[in-house]
Amino acid sequence: MASSSVMEECSSKCVFRQLPSGLLVDLLPPEVTTEHFTGNDEKDAARKLYESLPVTSWQTRLLQIKSSTDKDSPIICRLFIANVIHYEGLGIHDEDGPHEVRYEALSYEWGNPRLCHSITVNGVQYPVRDNLFRALRQLRTDRDRYLWVDALCINQSDNDEKSTQVRRMLAIYQKASKVVIWNPYWNDGKTEALSRLLTVEYEDIKKTHSAECSENMRVVYKFLRSICRPPLFSRTWIRQEVYGARDYILQCGDYCIPSEALSSIMKTSERLMILGMTERESTEVIPTDLKFMRDPFFATRTIYDKRAGTVDASGGKYGRHTTHMKTTLLGALLSSPYFEASDPRDSVYGILGLTDVVLKGPGDKITADELSLTVDYNLTFSEVYSMVALYLIKRSKSLAILDLANWRGQESEKMNLPSWVPDWRYAPLWRRYTFGHRPQFAELMRNSFAVPMSATEEAPERTWFQSVGWTSWEATIQGLLPNGDLPTQGICLGTIQKEWAHFDLPDNPKSTKSDDVGAPGDYVTEFKKQLEDKKSSSTINEFRPVLTSDLGFQIFKSILSETKFLLKKTNEDWMSFIASTALVPQQAEKGDKICLLRGSRTSFLLRPFGDRFRLIGPASYPLWHNFCYLENKVRTGEKKNNDRFEIFSLDFPIKGDWTKLISTETLESFNLA
């Protein structure tokens, strides 16, 4: 029997029927100004202003905006030395004596570097950028207002002071009564539309809408999403500022959106998507979303484990949200490509407050075995990124981080970034990332960096090498060499040659015994095909001939003797071929060495120059490794996108007598530049 209920149609007064224009326009209104200041003007003003306001390591400064109801009147401010006290707020000393004041913290884009306005601070004409000027002018009320603003409360010309103040920025935002998120990309039409849309009920959305309304609802959806993802949210420092906020408001021009209204906006946009009023967005994690910035642990958890946030068999949420729970340094670094920073060092310094890293100052003493990072703006970009990579190595007792060192671009080379250091700004976007070709990634995320599987689970204390009983292979690096090189030890497995000795792949004889099978014919056929193309579907995708070292050949025979997938009694031609075929990066050259370094499960291609080495990338003897993945694909006939088999694993077998061939006598030194 058909249902008699009919969905109600919307009326001519439907909120979606008539929309103001300009909802999707993000242009700033032109600013009329005849002022222009240079960098020297800013330095002169900073010297006059800050020489009478010195701060210690437990102090900061606090800005007081003098009241005004005339938006066009000059901006007058006072700047105070403020004690970072244990209680809420900051402690200042003014004409009323010492007392505690409540304050707000401003979160904004620095924007165009041109200094085109000036404000008066403690009687000094101080040049500021356009976006800060707009914010201060708009935030004035009929009462004096206390704000913490990084461009004014920190002497940006003093690297030592900046290093100290940046270490306590998270505390500054946590102690603020609220964080004011400034979004200047606003107009009167957006104010009118949002005021009406905040009154929309779920029943209004569910009604049957006209074609005009339906089209407008798509515009509304994009408009609401743009409110929750303003351009400011692609700025590195916003992550720490939003994460630390006890409460926050979004100040859109002269329109203020409290946190409760933002929650309503997100809910309305989700309902529009669920009801099919707009195209469904990807369910992948977008780190610039407000909910993920408020919960960095859950954002990391979601990329690492696909089950995070889903409903489990018991009906509860797996890995539910845990707002204000810190993430790991690696977890925070992985989202760097989504956020911008004018100073590349801030891609690191701007996220440390989200992590469990112990922070030190430039003058603090650090012991060799202490796990901490230093915030120091006197260090170069290359020194900061090297410091981070070394920290990750020491914390994990592993060189797994080297597997990510090919994350780099032209700017990395221009700034002399060492070959073994990842440039986090070039990390793959999360929605494009796969673990298949990064065998050490899960190790980095869970074992090495102690990411708990859920908010209630204790983080594992053991390193990966401890978990498999191979502690003698842990990385024991405590510091860098004076020239910045990473001192490593390992063994040379072979050297890249220029020409192939032969292209003939020997046939692998079959065995009738089920427990002693040879490599299946499909494997040999596939390998021949890829060898002829000199390409592989792996991320390291070129076959090259190798002159295997004596120790490398001994290791190979030991591995082969313990592998059931290959024949134990294979012929010498087959063994020789396996031992002389490597899968390496395309930029490999004759003389490059394939080395297994202490602290890594993956062999790497190193290029010698003098007594130092450059890391080229992961390298593999593809037929030495674990064949289970291929075997399953051969048996099931499964192929990926009807393309080649993904047949090559990069990590060495973790068990077997071959590890006994490695000793302190067989280890060589490889200093990575």
Side-chain angles (χ1 to χ4, degrees), residues 308-332:
T310 60
V311 178
D312 60 25
S314 64
K317 270 230 174 166
Y318 183 89
R320 62 182 69 250
H321 285 287
T322 51
T323 306
H324 291 118
M325 186 170 178
K326 292 191 173 185
T327 185
T328 62
L329 177 59
L330 178 64

Side-chain angles (χ1 to χ4, degrees), residues 130-198:
D130 180 59
N131 196 36
L132 177 57
F133 181 81
R134 292 173 186 265
L136 295 178
R137 181 179 60 186
Q138 185 61 54
L139 292 174
R140 289 184 299 177
T141 66
D142 57 356
R143 301 178 62 182
D144 294 349
R145 189 171 186 175
Y146 288 100
L147 274 179
W148 192 90
V149 183
D150 58 355
L152 297 171
C153 296
I154 299 175
N155 182 359
Q156 300 292 332
S157 301
D158 187 335
N159 281 338
D160 291 334
E161 179 184 314
K162 189 160 61 169
S163 302
T164 300
Q165 292 295 312
V166 163
R167 294 207 320 275
R168 62 173 65 258
M169 274 185 65
L170 177 65
I172 296 296
Y173 280 84
Q174 287 175 325
K175 290 171 66 63
S177 59
K178 66 170 64 74
V179 171
V180 179
I181 303 172
W182 168 248
N183 178 14
Y185 303 98
W186 204 254
N187 54 52
D188 293 340
K190 292 184 178 184
T191 297
E192 177 189 348
L194 186 57
S195 299
R196 291 163 55 189
L197 290 169
L198 286 174

Side-chain angles (χ1 to χ4, degrees), residues 93-134:
H93 194 291
D94 57 15
E95 55 272 10
D96 297 326
H99 61 103
E100 174 190 330
V101 295
R102 289 167 57 86
Y103 68 97
E104 299 161 299
L106 182 64
S107 180
Y108 68 107
E109 290 180 278
W110 278 37
N112 191 318
R114 191 167 70 95
L115 300 167
C116 53
H117 303 278
S118 67
I119 62 175
T120 302
V121 186
N122 292 12
V124 176
Q125 290 299 114
Y126 202 91
V128 295
R129 302 185 185 192
D130 180 59
N131 196 36
L132 177 57
F133 181 81
R134 292 173 186 265

Side-chain angles (χ1 to χ4, degrees), residues 228-257:
C228 300
R229 294 179 191 168
L232 170 63
F233 281 12
S234 63
R235 170 179 159 268
T236 290
W237 285 104
I238 187 68
R239 304 171 66 183
Q240 184 171 254
E241 295 161 1
V242 168
Y243 165 70
R246 289 189 293 168
D247 189 18
Y248 56 91
I249 60 172
L250 187 60
Q251 186 72 42
C252 299
D254 58 358
Y255 189 76
C256 178
I257 306 175

Side-chain angles (χ1 to χ4, degrees), residues 397-416:
K397 298 183 180 179
S398 163
L399 292 183
I401 196 69
L402 301 189
D403 194 31
L404 312 180
N406 60 351
W407 292 352
R408 53 204 305 118
Q410 292 182 350
E411 189 176 349
S412 312
E413 309 304 327
K414 291 179 182 178
M415 303 184 78
N416 299 316

Side-chain angles (χ1 to χ4, degrees), residues 208-220:
T208 301
H209 293 275
S210 66
E212 179 186 5
C213 286
S214 298
E215 183 61 32
N216 284 345
M217 289 172 81
R218 296 184 180 92
V219 175
V220 167

